[in-house]
Structure formats: C-alpha cells, structure tokens
Amino acid sequence: MNGQEVVLLRKYAEGAYPQMKQDAGSDVVWTDMLSSYEYFGVLQALKNYIKSGNRFAPTLAELIAGYQQVLSSFDADIVELMAQIGRAHV
C-alpha cells in the first residue's frame, strides 16, 4: 500500500469515527505499518470492523488482524470454488 492509499483509508475511517486522531505523525505510522499490505484487503477489514458495531476507531493491530481474516476467508472461497469446478468436470 502506498501513502496515497493510506490517506484514503484514514479518511474512510475518519468518516465513520470523527473522533479519530488526525495528524501527520499518525499518517507516517499508518504508512509505515501498512506498507506491506494490500489496500483493498485492509479496506475490507476496515469495513468489516465498522459493520461489526465497534464504537471506537480501530487500532493498526485490529486492522492487520482483520486483514488476515479477509485473506483467510478469500482463500477458503477460492478453495471451495476450485472444488466446485472440479466436481463439475467429473
């Protein structure tokens, strides 16, 4: 994820959590911590976090854990799809 994507992600989070801390230092930390993750996966993790009814903004650790869950779910969906395709050709 690049810096511009981090800014978009933070703006999305700030839309749901207006009390979220907003400063350049936070952007630097978010960019550093999330640079090795894929933007759309982290965005989905953020959406899942918001939908779950959390009243407070997510921590970076919560977003990263949510990202791992998104990947696990995606992997399971792909395996199931592959199994369905395999059954269809038998």
Side-chain angles (χ1 to χ4, degrees):
M1 179 179 325
N2 63 41
Q4 185 178 19
E5 291 169 329
V6 170
V7 169
L8 291 173
L9 190 67
R10 285 187 47 81
K11 288 193 178 297
Y12 195 95
E14 290 163 6
Y17 302 100
Q19 75 282 12
M20 192 171 156
K21 181 180 175 184
Q22 303 174 25
D23 63 25
S26 295
D27 286 343
V28 169
V29 172
W30 275 58
T31 301
D32 182 45
M33 296 302 298
L34 297 176
S35 64
S36 63
Y37 297 95
E38 197 272 330
Y39 170 74
F40 290 106
V42 178
L43 178 60
Q44 186 59 53
L46 176 58
K47 289 178 179 183
N48 293 347
Y49 182 89
I50 294 166
K51 288 178 188 177
S52 69
N54 289 292
R55 294 177 44 212
F56 299 100
T59 64
L60 285 167
E62 289 168 327
L63 283 180
I64 291 168
Y67 176 84
Q68 298 300 332
Q69 289 176 343
V70 167
L71 287 185
S72 295
S73 174
F74 182 71
D75 288 346
D77 291 346
I78 289 174
V79 169
E80 177 58 27
L81 182 60
M82 289 171 65
Q84 289 175 5
I85 291 169
R87 287 191 295 265
H89 294 310
V90 173

